[in-house]
Amino acid sequence: MTTLFEQLGGAAAVDLAVDKFYERVLQDDRIKHFFANVDMVKQRAHQKAFLTYAFGGTDKYDGRYMREAHQELVQNHGLNHEHFDAVAEDLMITLEEMGVSEELKAQVAAIAAAPQHKSDVLNQ
């Protein structure tokens, strides 16, 4: 069975998508302030590792859990549903611009915006 990771184009496609995604995020007035003091080289690497894992490219993920990674942003910077939705929207626009099919975008959305992930990111 082919994984979503493979269907999207493997490591090269995920790397490109993450780079393009963060270009968009850093221009998005709704959410760019959350990344003002973030090491974006590290952030991109974390996101690539997470998406590789989430999309079935590996069975190992050594990063922090979503709840832990976003706790400070929720408690001290007001990260909320609107911000989560803005990130998801930016991801979908990025994939659209890359020519990803509707079917694959739906699979990505089902993973990236899953209720459990949203709950974990927002510490609820």
Side-chain angles (χ1 to χ4, degrees), residues 3-106:
T3 65
L4 177 56
F5 179 77
E6 293 166 329
Q7 292 175 59
L8 288 167
V14 169
D15 287 354
L16 180 61
V18 168
D19 290 341
K20 288 185 170 294
F21 164 72
Y22 278 117
E23 287 173 17
R24 176 171 297 286
V25 164
L26 294 174
Q27 298 299 313
D28 189 331
D29 290 334
R30 301 171 295 177
I31 54 178
K32 68 183 182 183
H33 59 282
F34 290 110
F35 299 91
N37 297 311
V38 172
D39 177 342
M40 291 308 296
V41 171
K42 259 179 136 170
Q43 180 65 27
R44 282 179 170 92
H46 287 304
Q47 190 68 270
K48 290 171 184 178
F50 173 72
L51 292 178
T52 297
Y53 168 76
F55 297 158
T58 183
D59 59 354
K60 306 241 186 286
Y61 176 68
D62 296 327
R64 294 190 300 167
Y65 290 102
M66 290 292 135
R67 186 171 294 274
E68 175 190 341
H70 295 90
Q71 183 176 16
E72 195 267 337
L73 293 173
V74 171
Q75 292 177 345
N76 299 328
H77 299 282
L79 182 69
N80 64 38
H81 292 277
E82 291 176 17
H83 303 121
F84 183 93
D85 293 345
V87 168
E89 178 185 314
D90 285 346
L91 178 59
M92 291 301 107
I93 292 170
T94 299
L95 296 176
E96 177 80 26
E97 289 176 347
M98 292 179 64
V100 173
S101 72
E102 291 298 321
E103 178 187 341
L104 291 180
K105 286 191 305 187

